[in-house]
């Protein structure tokens, strides 16, 4: 039995909802409203309940619907600074000056004892710090509280014995009624200059009152990855067979085809552990893991700098969990994606369980200085990259300012106590569920009908739209293929997006966080299909961006709630955390996190959004959209939508109206300083921004501007083909058809879809994702019911290099690009071709 959350959508003004199983029996649940439409009706709600992942569940709603409480509802008590959480089967108690649960018990069985100061950090100066004591200044906030689930967030400082603060921790604890298991989300926040102070070892200890009799670790040996041996040394992906490619994908998926073995150990008063030391990353293919026993105490290291091991078993890949057996109970600890986020360790000993989120046993340190990262982590990826050479090689990179202060890294850990009666299969199944959680999602048909995702879409339909779904699938496979070749794994880069536009050329670009909203629209693909591949990509990327591209600390030119923005001379830098803070993220980073939260209930992401919203309210002048121009409205609109802050809404309205001019041919203001490069610059993108604003506000002026822009684009053929860079034409003309019924717009989206079915997807090109991830699924929603033949539309400019309607004049710096025009000519009808030419004194750059 596990607790998960999924979304429910309801336009009713009252929250008359409940969950029932396939037989119509009610499942006690807790409903938490996430957001509402601008008319006040519910848009998203999270339903928390405890039930079997093999079951089928549905929502009942109506004026006569009521919910029953769990038979043993979850209880929260606060007294004299102590916080007690009683799930009905387990009780956890927190002390005011210790971050982790001090005690936990199931009935009369003590699970944890004196465990509260178990959040530890060993720095490069040899100082051991814990989140405990008065100087830690621990705070507690109950994020969600109800009869079925409770989420508690606790913050505090890592403090050394002499009172020095070295870093900060944020931890979210998820409790569910009827379950003894706790999900723990831990964030390490770097509060000091990372050129002076960094980490040797940090993690969480969960102390127990007795030593374990036996410990079991999941692992995979060399035989299990034999099929990948011919792949790991090959850098040219084209030489690899399809069977080998699939085997390699399975090895790295972290969630598929896990055929783990189990290794049993008797600790004998020492500490036993499993460590993923090295895992294939970037262009490096080494893989090394260890299961061993250590007579040394936790965190004790000999003076010569090497760990002393009585014995060790060298393997390739360890699993995500370890379990300890005690006299009358057991404790399983799960760290999802453990190997991919190396170096990681799970250990058990006389003092209890320990999860090393950076393992000092790896003999490396979490040192964020540039040269250390290049030599020990990025390695060949950097040293052979042409962008690195352009920056002056190692010397040029080393000269770049690098300080990750204000950045962070976040991990999930499951603490799963169980009774002594549980056998191995039950323990393994539970651990697998925590490591690879079941995903509960509202029916895609219902999601599409409500448009709760924020726009129209067609659910995945491989029967009616086999060719179209093939386009989507092949595009995503091409993305994953390049992602497998250039592995973004390890504590630093786990979850990072592909290389910008050239992921199939791993040495082309050193690093970039610009994903052209792939991290946003992947949630569209997930919502319409429930395919967990999309969830895996989107959730991992959000964790990555939240860690490195988001500042949680104010200092210098950075501020809490701001997003990293680099100077132009640092665009090829691998240092995601450097530069200055800006209020707005140009690739809709907040919206990526918001949809993730609505679909999965990750409170860590909502915490970042609240921080960004607070910064906007404090720092935004109500006028300026720079440095990102109109896309900044996505951020502003989202925060208005979440909080329904009417004062913020009025400021947004003022700025939006400044971008609109219905007297201009395309409805946009060409002179506004916020328009950025004129009314025709990336007008598809600007229409998308205006559409999101309209959906959040209902502002009729925005709708009129969109319709005028569509009319202008249609009449003057200002439409790029389906696989042109950054094209939203299929989406915006589908919306235009939805609003007006103008079948000319239906011609546009139909022609784009038909053309896309016969065009080859460019592998790994992120810039072309807008048609595939959001334009095509939306277009299908309006093509599915068309019985009449749809005449073709003469789409011009299916050129992958550039805008078709801008002809770049040849000179000494620029070569001429062709601008083809493709159309269908009936044999018995003449063709009339109108050309519009605008001459300027400057070359369009």
């Amino acid at each position: 039995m596990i607790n998960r959350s999924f979304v429910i959508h309801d336009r009713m003004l009252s929250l008359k909802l409940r969950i029932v199983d396939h037989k119509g029996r009610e499942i006690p649940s807790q409903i938490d409203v996430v957001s509402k439409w601008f008319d006040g009706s519910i848009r998203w709600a999270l339903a928390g309940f405890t039930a079997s992942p093999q079951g089928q569940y549905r929502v009942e709603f109506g004026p006569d619907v009521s919910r029953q409480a769990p038979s043993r509802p979850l209880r929260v008590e606060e007294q004299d600074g102590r916080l007690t959480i009683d799930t009905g089967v387990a009780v956890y108690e927190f002390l005011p000056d210790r971050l982790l649960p001090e005690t936990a018990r199931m009935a009369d069985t003590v699970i944890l004892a004196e465990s509260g100061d178990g959040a530890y950090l060993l720095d490069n100066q040899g100082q051991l710090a814990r989140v405990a004591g008065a100087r830690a200044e621990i705070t507690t906030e109950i994020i969600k509280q109800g009869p079925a689930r409770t989420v508690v967030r606790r913050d505090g400082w890592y403090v050394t014995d002499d009172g020095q603060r070295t870093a900060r921790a944020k931890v979210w604890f998820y409790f569910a009624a009827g379950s003894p298991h706790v999900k723990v989300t831990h964030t390490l926040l770097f509060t000091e200059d990372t050129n002076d102070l960094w980490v040797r070892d940090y993690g969480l200890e969960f102390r127990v009152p007795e030593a374990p009799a036996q410990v079991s670790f999941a692992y995979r040996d060399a035989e299990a990855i034999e099929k990948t041996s011919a792949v790991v040394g090959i850098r040219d992906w084209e030489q690899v067979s399809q069977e080998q490619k699939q085997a390699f994908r399975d090895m790295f998926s972290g969630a598929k085809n896990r055929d783990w073995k189990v290794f049993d150990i008797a600790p004998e008063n020492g500490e036993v552990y499993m460590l993923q030391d090295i895992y294939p990353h970037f262009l490096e293919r080494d893989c090394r893991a260890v299961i061993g026993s250590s007579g040394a105490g936790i965190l004790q290291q000999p003076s010569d700098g090497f760990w002393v091991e009585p014995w060790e078993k060298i393997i390739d890949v360890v699993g995500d969990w370890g379990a300890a057996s005690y006299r009358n109970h057991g404790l399983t600890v799960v760290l999802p994606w453990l190997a991919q986020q190396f170096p990681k360790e799970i250990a058990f000993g006389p003092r209890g369980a320990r999860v090393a989120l950076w393992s000092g046993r790896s003999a490396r340190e979490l040192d964020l200085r540039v040269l250390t990262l290049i030599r020990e982590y990025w390695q060949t990826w950097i040293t052979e990259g042409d962008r690195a050479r352009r920056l002056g090689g190692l010397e040029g990179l080393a000269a770049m300012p690098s300080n990750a202060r204000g950045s962070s890294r976040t991990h999930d850990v499951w603490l799963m106590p169980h009774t002594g009666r549980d056998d191995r299969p039950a323990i393994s199944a539970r651990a697998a569920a925590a490591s690879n959680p079941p995903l509960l999602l509202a029916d895609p048909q219902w999601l599409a009908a409500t448009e709760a995702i924020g726009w129209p879409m067609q659910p995945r339909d491989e029967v009616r739209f086999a060719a179209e779904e093939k386009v989507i699938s092949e595009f995503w496979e091409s993305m994953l293929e390049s992602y497998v070749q250039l592995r973004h794994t390890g504590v630093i880069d786990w979850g990072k997006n592909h290389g910008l536009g050239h992921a199939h050329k791993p040495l082309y670009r050193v690093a970039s966080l610009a994903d052209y909203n792939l991290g946003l629209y992947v949630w569209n693909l997930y919502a319409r299909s429930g395919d967990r591949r999309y969830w895996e990509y989107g959730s991992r990327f959000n964790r990555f961006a939240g860690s490195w591209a988001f500042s949680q600390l104010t200092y210098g030119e950075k501020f809490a709630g701001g997003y990293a923005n680099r100077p132009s001379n640092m665009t090829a830098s691998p240092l995601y955390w450097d530069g200055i803070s800006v209020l707005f993220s140009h690739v809709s980073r907040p919206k990526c996190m918001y949809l993730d939260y609505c679909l999965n209930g990750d409170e860590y992401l909502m915490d970042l959004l609240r921080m960004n919203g607070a910064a906007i309210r404090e720092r935004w002048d109500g006028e300026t959209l720079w440095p990102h121009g109109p896309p900044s409205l996505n951020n502003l609109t989202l925060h208005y939508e979440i909080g329904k802050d009417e004062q913020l809404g009025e400021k947004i309205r003022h700025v939006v109206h400044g971008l609109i001019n219905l007297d201009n041919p395309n409805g946009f203001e060409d002179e506004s300083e916020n328009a950025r490069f004129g009314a025709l610059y990336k007008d598809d993108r600007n229409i998308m921004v205006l559409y999101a604003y309209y959906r959040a506000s209902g502002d009729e002026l925005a709708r009129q501007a969109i319709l005028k822009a569509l009319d202008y684009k249609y009449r003057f053929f200002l439409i790029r083909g389906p696989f042109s860079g950054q094209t939203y034409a299929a989406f915006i003309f589908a919306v235009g058809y939805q609003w007006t019924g103008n079948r000319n717009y239906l011609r546009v989206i139909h022609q784009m879809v038909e053309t896309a079915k016969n065009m080859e997807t460019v592998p790994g090109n992120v810039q072309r994702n807008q048609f595939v991830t959001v334009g095509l699924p939306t277009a299908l929603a309006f093509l599915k019911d068309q019985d009449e033949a749809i005449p073709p539309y003469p789409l011009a400019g299916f050129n992958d290099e550039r805008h078709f309607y801008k002809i770049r004049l040849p000179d000494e710096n620029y070569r001429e690009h062709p601008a083809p025009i493709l159309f269908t000519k009936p044999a018995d009808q003449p063709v009339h071709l109108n050309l519009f030419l605008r001459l300027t004194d400057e070359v369009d750059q």
Side-chain angles (χ1 to χ4, degrees), residues 511-531:
S512 176
L513 284 184
D515 66 330
Y516 284 90
N517 283 326
L518 179 65
L520 170 62
Y521 297 124
V522 68
W523 295 109
N524 190 52
L525 299 184
Y526 173 60
R528 69 186 294 271
S529 67
D531 189 331

Side-chain angles (χ1 to χ4, degrees), residues 517 588 591 630-639 688-689 692-693:
N517 283 326
S588 300
K591 207 164 189 177
S632 300
L633 284 173
N634 275 327
N635 301 32
L636 290 168
T637 297
L638 176 64
H639 287 297
M688 290 289 290
V689 170
Y693 165 75

Side-chain angles (χ1 to χ4, degrees), residues 603-670:
E603 296 293 345
Y604 157 78
L605 297 176
M606 183 54 71
D607 188 70
L608 299 183
L609 291 173
R610 292 190 187 99
M611 201 179 304
N612 180 235
I616 287 174
R617 287 171 175 83
E618 177 184 350
R619 295 172 178 269
W620 184 45
D621 61 9
E623 299 282 347
T624 308
L625 295 181
W626 296 115
H628 303 304
S632 300
L633 284 173
N634 275 327
N635 301 32
L636 290 168
T637 297
L638 176 64
H639 287 297
Y640 169 68
E641 181 182 325
I642 293 174
K644 290 297 182 288
D645 183 335
E646 295 304 329
Q647 184 176 6
L648 177 62
E650 284 301 315
K651 291 181 179 180
I652 299 171
R653 186 186 306 271
H654 170 73
V655 173
V656 170
H657 287 189
L659 295 171
I660 295 173
N661 184 349
L662 295 183
D663 293 330
N664 272 355
N666 74 336
F668 288 108
E669 177 56 66
D670 199 42

